[in-house]
Amino acid sequence: MVNLGLFSGAKRAKSVNVRFRLPYYTQWGQSLVVCGSEPLLGSWNVKKGLLLSPIHQGDQLIWYGSIAVSNGFGCEYNYYVVDDNRDVLRWEKGNRRKLFLPQGLQGGEVVELRDLWQTGADAIPFKLAFKDVVFGRSSTLSIERPLGKFIHNNLNEDADSVLVDFKICCPNIEEDTTVYVIGSSSKLGQWKVQNGIKLSYAGDSIWHGDCILQYTDFPLKYKYCKYGKDGVISSEFGQNRDLLLDASNIPPRHIVLSDGMLRDVPWRGSGVAIPMFSVRSEDDLGVGEFLDLKLLVDWAVESGLHLVQLLPVNDTSVHGMWWDSYPYSSLSVFALHPLYLRVQALSDNIPEDIKLEIQKKKVELDGKDVDYEATMAAKLSLARKIFSREKDSILNSSSFQKYLSENEEWLKPYAAFCFLRDFFETSDHSQWGRFSQFSKDKLEKLISKDSLHYEVICFHYYIQYHLHQQLSEAANYGRKKGVILKGDLPIGVDRNSVDTWVYPTLFRMDTSTGAPPDYFDKNGQNWGFPTYNWEEMSKDNYAWWRARLTQMSNYFTAYRIDHILGFFRIWELPEHAMTGLVGKFRPSIPLSQEELEREGIWDFDRLSRPYIRAELLQDKFGAAWGYIASHFLNEYEKSFYEFKKECDTEKKIASKLKSLVEESQLQNPDQIRRSLFELVQNIVLIRDPENPKSFYPRFNIEDTSSFNDLDGHSKDVLKRLYYDYYFQRQEDLWRKNALKTLPVLLDSSDMLACGEDLGLIPSCVHPVMEELGLIGLRIQRMPNEPNLEFGIPSQYSYMTVCAPSCHDCSTLRAWWEEDEERRGRFMKNVIGSDILSPTQCIPEIAHFILKQHFEAPSMWAIFPLQDLLALKDEYTTRPAKEETINDPTNPKHYWRYRSHVTLESLMKDKELQETIKVLSVESGRSVPDEPKPASTSVNKEKISVATKSNGIPQEETLAVI
């Protein structure tokens, strides 16, 4: 939020004391500093800022500090938490605070700034999603009295009086509503609104007003309330606010009271999630297209939904085949995907023969699923024909020239990369000869107007220009309709991408990223992306990341950070790995050889290489074990084996096995490969390739025979060190790592940020997310609590998005059908029924589960379209398994799910729209273009009951109001 301390000023010769006062709990060794724009406050150098001193007052720790300034002094400032060396540990979020001294001050007077720490959650109402979309369409309030302008400009001669400026933030306020402060003093109406102080609107969602109080009015109790049209009064809930005069200090003559947010029932909304490629309309050509989003926005509005969430829409054209359907493997983090282009919209003058061809392709590609390769080929072929007719007029237009000028930093390398990819028939830029190494000189020659292939380069400009136009049109339409468009920020890029070609030092190309074993896959995941070189990225303050976020904000007002854990630590695998099991965290503190030796562990070769005994081979391969051993292994000691050099990694094993299958028709090759992988993974410690005296415990070591064949002492030691490595020693390191990178991302744009925090969650993650104002994700079947099988939506925290499923797991219907015993437990423990559970997820079951999520305290309830369609029988005729978007256990999954219902059909289904809208309205969630329910009373009991019925804990009303 914006916490301003603004005053109009008049200069005086004598100095004025400005006293900073902030209640804030710190840990041992931490202090608070005020740093600001003027030399007295360090000129934004925190080490030179004003160090505050702590005083305990009751159950609060109050930090104080003073500076003597001349009359008329003004500055910007913020608070920082520092260590003993004054290194910054954290800083408050939101806009910079502003201070100007008021008129009429006498020399020696004290002006006390009573501030509250600004959290990341306080800044949320001022993100684009709310400021410009959800709240932005309400009537604009005119400024009644700017901050710093007082009604009571001068104090009287009474030395026992103080001027108090009350200031509160209220970003979501209805038309014809005013804000009052009332309290125990007669000056504050003695709790009667009509006699209280009516506050003035000062802009930026801030309301303020001042009055002169006597010392006898203290201690003062007060609160804020809203007075709406028709005389409806709505008081903030929770305990009354207190204002005391500190006995240990000289009483101030002026108190600037920055009271943070008005404590109202938190704003809550709902939305729909669907990949762009899964949308179906009557106008699309084989796949959802950006312009379809306008119709999807209309459907969202009619269904009472405030948000449309997509998967990544970046170009993924790496392989030139269906593998490119994987939306998280970006060819470019800036370019949009040609798949989502509407070719009919490229020109107003498309000739009849091309129109007929478009119509023919629409019929051919109107299948149950997306045909990625055929659709891409058709769209690019048609686009080239239109481009050849109008290229001169488009490329010379002022609109195109403006787009090229604003985007040339990424667009020109992208176009050159696409040309070289097609010329060399590979995206592996290491195979491009002299073009393998990127340079600006080579780039300029490649894209030169004099080159023979300049028209090919321009075609890529042309496609991106039109994609930009079409997505911008849809995004602007959503804003006007009050619907947030939420994008997705992938954690990685393809190793054969424009970004790794242009910025090779930003990536560790000999590694791969993934995730350790979790709910999705017991063998972990290997995404194949190179890991980031964060040290190199930090040298220009993460300019590449900042540019990504700036580009996204051209279209989206909210975004999901894919695998937010990657900004704390990433699961790093060697480049030669195929599965995600034998990895380590980067960064992390390894087990040192010295540490292990102190514990009596010394046989490092035994622990860090595959432990393969003859009995294990016989158990895995039966009678064929000798054949397998002869081709893959050497016996280095009687009955002990090791892998041959040519097949001692997962990729080498797969290659060798493939050749054996081709030569000898080997039976069950998939099972043999799994067993060989289990052998190569049968280790206890992973030796660090960069430091042979450092080791990492293999994930789930107790599942290996290598561990189970150890002596008791070694087992006990390694189990303890395993637990320490994965759950204790890294926490502070990971917290600091996240606080280096995430704030840079969050400050790069005004988009609302949500973090995908599923999987193995370190204990440092949620406190950091809370501190930064990041919204987490809750999926009912994947609860954070280890003792729960099913999450309890009514207990979710406000700063979350809740959903019954997501793109990485089966839909609600498919999940219900997968496991009879599990759905029986769900019926009994969640639904509270002992009747036999139906084998199908009938609409009544879907309605119950969706209602749970609508009623949750979460800021957002976002539902996959498939789960919303489960509310009606007529939409459940398609087998549930076919509605799955992704199978995380399959690294080559074909992302091709396409809705079997067109948007036009959904727009006609008023019954479904009304069902969804009623769920939203009755749960207290905001809906577009709907008057909000009127508050009915200032009675705290009634307000408390109302909030409890929505399941919203009173102490969690800190963000959007």
Side-chain angles (χ1 to χ4, degrees):
M1 60 160 279
V2 184
N3 248 344
L4 304 177
L6 292 176
F7 302 83
S8 58
K11 293 186 178 180
R12 290 288 181 120
K14 294 184 180 179
S15 64
V16 175
N17 291 318
V18 175
R19 181 190 299 160
F20 299 91
R21 180 189 188 275
L22 182 80
Y24 190 86
Y25 281 103
T26 56
Q27 297 177 355
W28 182 259
Q30 297 178 349
S31 299
L32 256 65
V33 165
V34 181
C35 186
S37 56
E38 293 297 311
L40 278 171
L41 294 177
S43 299
W44 295 119
N45 181 345
V46 177
K47 290 187 181 293
K48 296 181 179 179
L50 174 66
L51 186 66
L52 304 184
S53 301
I55 298 175
H56 282 281
Q57 291 184 1
D59 59 353
Q60 286 189 317
L61 183 64
I62 311 292
W63 292 83
Y64 284 99
S66 297
I67 53 173
V69 301
S70 59
N71 218 329
F73 177 82
C75 72
E76 295 182 326
Y77 69 99
N78 275 117
Y79 294 96
Y80 299 79
V81 178
V82 299
D83 61 18
D84 290 337
N85 296 319
R86 285 218 184 185
D87 292 327
V88 175
L89 300 175
R90 71 183 69 92
W91 57 94
E92 59 178 355
K93 305 303 180 290
N95 295 338
R96 288 175 173 175
R97 302 172 184 268
K98 296 182 180 179
L99 162 66
F100 293 98
L101 293 182
Q103 296 175 348
L105 293 177
Q106 304 298 316
E109 287 190 358
V110 175
V111 176
E112 186 169 272
L113 308 180
R114 295 206 173 191
D115 292 327
L116 298 175
W117 181 269
Q118 296 176 166
T119 68
D122 291 331
I124 283 178
F126 303 99
K127 297 296 183 182
L128 292 172
F130 292 105
K131 183 177 67 173
D132 289 1
V133 183
V134 176
F135 304 154
R137 294 180 308 131
S138 59
S139 64
T140 303
L141 293 166
S142 57
I143 294 177
E144 300 168 326
R145 183 157 53 98
L147 286 167
K149 297 292 184 181
F150 286 78
I151 294 175
H152 303 88
N153 284 320
N154 296 293
L155 291 171
N156 55 32
E157 297 299 321
D158 186 354
D160 294 334
S161 61
V162 56
L163 175 65
V164 179
D165 182 28
F166 295 91
K167 187 154 72 278
I168 193 71
C169 180
C170 188
N172 180 23
I173 196 161
E174 298 164 18
E175 261 186 275
D176 301 322
T177 298
T178 51
V179 182
Y180 281 79
V181 60
I182 57 177
S184 56
S185 165
S186 60
K187 297 289 182 66
L188 298 185
Q190 292 182 324
W191 302 110
K192 294 180 180 178
V193 173
Q194 59 268 31
N195 297 329
I197 298 174
K198 181 182 177 182
L199 303 185
S200 302
Y201 185 63
D204 291 329
S205 300
I206 300 294
W207 297 74
H208 78 131
D210 60 90
C211 71
I212 297 174
L213 298 173
Q214 303 300 310
Y215 287 174
T216 54
D217 291 319
F218 296 91
L220 178 73
K221 290 190 176 295
Y222 67 100
K223 63 183 175 182
Y224 296 91
C225 58
K226 294 187 292 186
Y227 186 88
K229 55 186 175 183
D230 303 324
V232 175
I233 299 169
S234 173
S235 175
E236 65 176 350
F237 61 87
Q239 294 181 341
N240 292 325
R241 299 174 186 257
D242 295 305
L243 180 58
L244 309 174
L245 292 181
D246 299 333
S248 57
N249 286 310
I250 299 172
R253 293 284 277 166
H254 302 261
I255 295 177
V256 182
L257 201 57
S258 298
D259 268 329
M261 299 294 231
L262 187 144
R263 298 193 303 254
D264 205 346
V265 175
W267 185 97
R268 292 152 65 240
S270 46
V272 60
I274 184 167
M276 190 70 259
F277 57 80
S278 299
V279 172
R280 184 188 291 268
S281 77
E282 294 175 3
D283 289 330
D284 69 43
L285 199 159
V287 70
E289 298 167 347
F290 287 145
L291 288 175
D292 288 328
L293 292 171
K294 294 171 70 175
L295 201 52
L296 184 57
V297 163
D298 287 338
W299 181 80
V301 170
E302 294 301 315
S303 302
L305 306 176
H306 260 304
L307 182 145
V308 169
Q309 176 173 314
L310 304 176
L311 294 188
V313 293
N314 298 102
D315 191 355
T316 60
S317 309
V318 175
H319 304 284
M321 58 179 292
W322 66 264
W323 288 2
D324 295 337
S325 67
Y326 180 32
Y328 287 91
S329 187
S330 304
L331 176 84
S332 165
V333 299
F334 300 101
L336 297 170
H337 206 308
L339 189 68
Y340 307 128
L341 183 73
R342 176 156 294 166
V343 292
Q344 306 95 296
L346 290 176
S347 173
D348 294 329
N349 301 303
I350 299 176
E352 286 302 316
D353 61 329
I354 297 180
K355 286 182 179 179
L356 289 173
E357 188 177 353
I358 291 172
Q359 191 58 40
K360 180 183 177 182
K361 288 296 181 184
K362 282 180 64 176
V363 174
E364 289 177 5
L365 295 169
D366 189 24
K368 182 176 69 174
D369 300 305
V370 175
D371 186 333
Y372 181 91
E373 294 172 35
T375 302
M376 276 290 287
K379 290 199 173 191
L380 292 176
S381 173
L382 290 163
R384 284 191 180 94
K385 292 178 181 180
I386 299 170
F387 171 72
S388 67
R389 295 176 58 88
E390 62 168 30
K391 59 179 181 290
D392 292 336
S393 61
I394 290 293
L395 299 179
N396 291 320
S397 68
S398 59
S399 174
F400 174 81
Q401 290 298 323
K402 181 175 184 289
Y403 171 76
L404 180 61
S405 173
E406 291 175 350
N407 295 275
E408 62 181 349
E409 189 71 19
W410 67 265
L411 183 57
K412 289 180 176 179
Y414 166 78
F417 186 98
C418 291
F419 165 73
L420 292 169
R421 172 200 62 196
D422 298 340
F423 180 83
F424 287 103
E425 299 183 337
T426 179
S427 291
D428 183 355
H429 38 82
S430 68
Q431 306 300 311
W432 290 353
R434 68 188 182 92
F435 295 109
S436 294
Q437 303 297 318
F438 173 85
S439 74
K440 290 193 174 180
D441 289 341
K442 293 175 188 175
L443 174 65
E444 290 304 318
K445 290 178 182 177
L446 279 167
I447 63 172
S448 167
K449 291 184 178 181
D450 300 326
S451 66
L452 295 174
H453 54 265
Y454 181 64
E455 187 170 310
V456 178
I457 295 292
C458 288
F459 176 69
H460 295 296
Y461 294 163
Y462 170 84
I463 293 294
Q464 288 300 311
Y465 166 71
H466 278 287
L467 287 165
H468 164 73
Q469 296 281 75
Q470 293 180 14
L471 182 54
S472 296
E473 181 180 334
N476 291 333
Y477 186 83
R479 287 189 182 98
K480 290 175 183 176
K481 289 280 191 174
V483 174
I484 295 163
L485 197 59
K486 181 180 177 184
D488 198 322
L489 183 74
I491 186 63
V493 302
D494 197 283
R495 63 180 58 253
N496 296 322
S497 65
V498 183
D499 301 279
T500 58
W501 181 52
V502 177
Y503 308 107
T505 59
L506 301 185
F507 306 91
R508 300 181 187 277
M509 297 298 289
D510 59 345
T511 65
S512 285
T513 57
D518 59 11
Y519 173 92
F520 297 113
D521 195 337
K522 66 178 182 179
N523 290 315
Q525 299 175 54
N526 186 339
W527 303 323
F529 314 136
T531 57
Y532 294 123
N533 186 343
W534 289 109
E535 295 79 8
E536 188 67 25
M537 287 180 163
S538 69
K539 292 179 181 177
D540 59 4
N541 194 29
Y542 309 97
W544 181 78
W545 282 103
R546 288 185 285 112
R548 288 184 71 177
L549 270 296
T550 300
Q551 180 74 359
M552 281 190 75
S553 67
N554 289 329
Y555 316 109
F556 302 104
T557 51
Y559 67 107
R560 167 189 178 273
I561 302 175
D562 173 45
H563 194 66
I564 198 170
L565 302 186
F567 295 93
F568 292 79
R569 83 293 184 272
I570 198 72
W571 186 246
E572 184 178 77
L573 302 149
E575 193 274 332
H576 56 68
M578 293 180 67
T579 69
L581 186 60
V582 185
K584 62 183 178 66
F585 289 121
R586 180 183 286 271
S588 64
I589 304 168
L591 309 178
S592 68
Q593 182 170 321
E594 180 183 6
E595 178 182 10
L596 289 162
E597 286 175 344
R598 282 200 306 267
E599 298 279 3
I601 305 295
W602 56 271
D603 194 350
F604 302 109
D605 283 341
R606 153 72 175 85
L607 296 171
S608 62
R609 70 175 178 176
Y611 180 71
I612 307 171
R613 300 181 62 183
E615 296 93 321
L616 184 60
L617 293 174
Q618 293 165 13
D619 179 60
K620 286 190 175 295
F621 303 105
W625 81 270
Y627 176 84
I628 297 296
S630 66
H631 285 86
F632 291 91
L633 304 163
N634 291 321
E635 187 177 21
Y636 68 91
E637 188 178 302
K638 185 168 177 58
S639 296
F640 283 88
Y641 291 80
E642 63 183 2
F643 278 97
K644 294 179 179 180
K645 194 69 176 174
E646 64 270 22
C647 46
D648 60 354
T649 69
E650 291 176 357
K651 283 188 177 177
K652 289 179 182 178
I653 289 170
S655 177
K656 175 79 170 179
L657 189 59
K658 182 179 179 182
S659 64
L660 282 178
V661 169
E662 292 171 353
E663 292 171 7
S664 62
Q665 302 297 312
L666 196 65
Q667 299 297 310
N668 299 319
D670 290 342
Q671 179 58 50
I672 291 173
R673 186 172 78 162
R674 280 194 296 270
S675 296
L676 286 168
F677 279 10
E678 288 171 3
L679 290 180
V680 82
Q681 296 163 354
N682 190 25
I683 58 176
V684 174
L685 298 177
I686 300 168
R687 193 185 293 266
D688 191 329
E690 299 171 14
N691 182 355
K693 291 191 175 183
S694 293
F695 299 88
Y696 305 88
R698 202 213 85 161
F699 201 90
N700 289 343
I701 56 171
E702 293 184 64
D703 293 345
T704 68
S705 62
S706 180
F707 175 85
N708 288 316
D709 280 0
L710 292 172
D711 61 273
H713 169 75
S714 297
K715 285 181 182 179
D716 290 342
V717 168
L718 289 166
K719 276 197 288 188
R720 176 164 43 82
L721 292 175
Y722 174 94
Y723 184 85
D724 179 60
Y725 175 83
Y726 282 102
F727 302 107
Q728 290 183 335
R729 72 165 68 190
Q730 319 294 348
E731 295 292 331
D732 187 55
L733 172 66
W734 291 343
R735 179 185 176 281
K736 290 177 179 176
N737 197 53
L739 288 174
K740 287 179 186 175
T741 54
L742 281 174
V744 178
L745 263 73
L746 301 178
D747 293 343
S748 297
S749 77
D750 279 333
M751 292 185 289
L752 177 69
C754 306
E756 183 268 296
D757 54 347
L758 303 176
L760 184 69
I761 308 295
S763 60
C764 63
V765 171
H766 290 144
V768 168
M769 291 181 67
E770 182 179 347
E771 181 177 334
L772 298 179
L774 273 163
I775 302 167
L777 177 60
R778 298 294 175 269
I779 305 292
Q780 188 171 23
R781 70 187 73 169
M782 291 177 264
N784 284 355
E785 302 82 358
N787 58 329
L788 288 180
E789 182 178 14
F790 310 111
I792 305 173
S794 63
Q795 295 181 6
Y796 294 159
S797 67
Y798 176 65
M799 291 290 289
T800 56
V801 171
C802 69
S805 69
C806 66
H807 69 272
D808 272 330
C809 59
S810 55
T811 62
L812 179 55
R813 287 176 56 222
W815 177 81
W816 186 266
E817 296 174 11
E818 285 167 359
D819 189 324
E820 180 181 357
E821 292 184 0
R822 182 180 63 197
R823 69 171 175 261
R825 294 192 298 273
F826 188 90
M827 280 287 293
K828 180 177 181 180
N829 299 327
V830 179
I831 297 179
S833 173
D834 288 325
I835 66 170
L836 185 65
S837 61
T839 57
Q840 305 293 315
C841 184
I842 57 178
E844 291 79 7
I845 295 291
H847 189 277
F848 176 88
I849 295 173
L850 266 58
K851 190 170 189 286
Q852 275 192 313
H853 289 77
F854 272 106
E855 293 181 344
S858 303
M859 182 191 299
W860 288 103
I862 301 177
F863 304 92
L865 179 64
Q866 304 96 302
D867 291 352
L868 293 173
L869 295 181
L871 288 167
K872 286 193 73 173
D873 275 327
E874 67 184 83
Y875 299 126
T876 62
T877 55
R878 185 174 184 174
K881 284 186 177 180
E882 293 183 4
E883 293 186 330
T884 298
I885 295 168
N886 178 36
D887 176 8
T889 66
N890 179 8
K892 293 298 182 186
H893 175 75
Y894 196 167
W895 297 63
R896 63 187 314 194
Y897 164 70
R898 197 172 181 213
S899 172
H900 60 297
V901 187
T902 65
L903 291 173
E904 288 83 358
S905 296
L906 289 176
M907 282 299 295
K908 294 174 184 176
D909 190 340
K910 300 303 179 184
E911 182 185 7
L912 177 64
Q913 293 167 21
E914 186 63 19
T915 299
I916 297 170
K917 193 169 190 175
V918 167
L919 280 168
S920 203
V921 172
E922 290 186 347
S923 66
R925 292 188 178 273
S926 173
V927 298
D929 289 326
E930 280 288 319
K932 298 175 180 63
S935 301
T936 56
S937 174
V938 296
N939 184 295
K940 287 192 290 182
E941 272 191 12
K942 289 186 179 179
I943 291 174
S944 176
V945 170
T947 57
K948 286 181 180 177
S949 70
N950 285 331
I952 303 169
Q954 292 184 12
E955 64 272 19
E956 296 222 26
T957 59
L958 45 85
V960 182
I961 58 177

